[in-house]
Amino acid sequence: MTSISKTSYSLPDQENKAQYVKNNFNEIAPNYDRFNDLITLGFHRRWKKKTVLASGLAGHRSARVLDLCCGSGDLSFAFRSILGPGSKIHSLDFSEGMLELFRKRLSDLPESECEILPVQGDALDLSRFQTGSLDAVSIGFGLRNVTNREKCLKEMFRVLKPGGRAIILDVSRVNAVFSFFAGLYFDRIVPLIGSFLQGKKHEMYDYLPASARQFPDQLSLKKELESAGFGTVTYRNFFLGAAALHVAEK
């Protein structure tokens, strides 16, 4: 494995990271879904469907799911499509701009016996959820944005029922053979796509590839999940490892 090549962009320090990410996601929220479609050629939607199926909850009645860093709701809506009647999906994000898009999308959907409950909150503070109360906790392309990954993973572990699963979809590391091309794409092409959609250069589109470089590779994240208390931890790669899905069972 190898890391993505570096650029001159510097990530915010840990003390200011949360507010930085929140403010900037509020600004780019209207363009974020189109941005993801373009940079992944639409494949992120397939990955998200596979992510929710990895919860093992398809068809389950009265399931309780938490979708952390839910953004505009892709994973939450994917869960809604597979869960049985009486299920509840708690969708949490700290960006009000993203939640506005989420609520708009939700209002356009027909009623369902599976309830979605969007709420503004912090992925590091899940005190509103009782220990051992949830069947699954998901986080899609958001774990690299939290300021304390260890605390987040431990909170995910705490709120899960025994046998429940944490499912994490995020950027990862491509094979060394393709690392140069991946670095070129993430560091040069991705910011250009973001700036085009935004109508001007926006530093958040430099933050995204820079945060990817700081995020642990597949095996390192697997070890972090095990250190947080999870038992069986597996992962699968998408796009030659540019993204990876980790599934960890309590």
Side-chain angles (χ1 to χ4, degrees):
M1 299 292 177
T2 187
S3 60
I4 299 170
S5 64
K6 297 181 179 180
T7 67
S8 59
Y9 174 84
S10 297
L11 286 167
D13 57 40
Q14 289 300 97
E15 182 179 352
N16 299 310
K17 180 178 178 179
Q19 193 61 45
Y20 174 91
V21 172
K22 181 179 181 179
N23 291 343
N24 281 284
F25 265 117
N26 283 339
E27 291 180 10
I28 70 171
N31 298 307
Y32 194 60
D33 286 339
R34 284 184 295 166
F35 172 74
N36 284 332
D37 282 335
L38 286 174
I39 68 169
T40 69
L41 303 178
F43 279 96
H44 74 104
R45 299 188 182 280
R46 297 186 187 182
W47 305 340
K48 288 168 181 173
K49 289 180 181 178
K50 292 178 180 179
T51 296
V52 300
L53 289 173
S55 69
L57 295 176
H60 281 229
R61 293 172 173 264
S62 302
R64 294 294 181 270
V65 171
L66 171 60
D67 182 18
L68 289 176
C69 304
C70 64
S72 63
D74 282 352
L75 282 182
S76 294
F77 297 134
F79 268 118
R80 186 179 188 257
S81 70
I82 70 164
L83 295 178
S87 297
K88 287 188 177 182
I89 304 159
H90 302 273
S91 307
L92 185 145
D93 201 289
F94 70 174
S95 167
E96 186 56 40
M98 285 293 185
L99 287 173
E100 285 181 13
L101 289 176
F102 186 110
R103 295 186 183 103
K104 174 61 169 62
R105 293 179 69 188
L106 184 59
S107 68
D108 291 338
L109 293 177
E111 291 188 7
S112 170
E113 295 183 25
C114 178
E115 187 176 9
I116 294 182
L117 304 168
V119 61
Q120 187 171 19
D122 190 338
L124 299 183
D125 180 11
L126 304 183
S127 56
R128 71 184 72 204
F129 302 102
Q130 295 182 352
T131 299
S133 61
L134 300 172
D135 297 289
V137 180
S138 66
I139 183 166
F141 298 107
L143 187 59
R144 70 185 185 280
N145 296 326
V146 303
T147 57
N148 188 329
R149 194 165 55 247
E150 179 183 5
K151 182 177 181 181
C152 183
L153 295 179
K154 287 183 177 179
E155 273 290 270
M156 293 170 72
F157 180 84
R158 179 186 66 80
V159 299
L160 281 170
K161 298 175 181 178
R165 294 178 181 178
I167 42 180
I168 301 169
L169 176 65
D170 218 309
V171 297
S172 201
R173 299 292 189 275
V174 300
N175 185 279
V177 174
F178 302 99
S179 62
F180 172 80
F181 300 101
L184 181 66
Y185 181 71
F186 275 100
D187 283 338
R188 306 301 178 191
I189 307 302
V190 165
L192 288 176
I193 293 172
S195 297
F196 171 76
L197 291 174
Q198 200 72 19
K200 62 180 180 180
K201 182 174 175 58
H202 197 291
E203 62 183 313
M204 198 57 176
Y205 297 111
D206 290 309
Y207 164 86
L208 294 171
S211 65
R213 290 194 301 273
Q214 297 296 319
F215 196 66
D217 62 24
Q218 291 90 328
L219 289 175
S220 296
L221 183 56
K222 180 178 184 291
K223 291 177 181 178
E224 289 187 14
L225 284 160
E226 291 167 345
S227 295
F230 289 97
T232 303
V233 181
T234 61
Y235 68 84
R236 62 182 298 187
N237 289 325
F238 301 121
F239 255 25
L240 303 174
L245 168 62
H246 284 72
V247 181
E249 188 168 314
K250 180 173 179 178

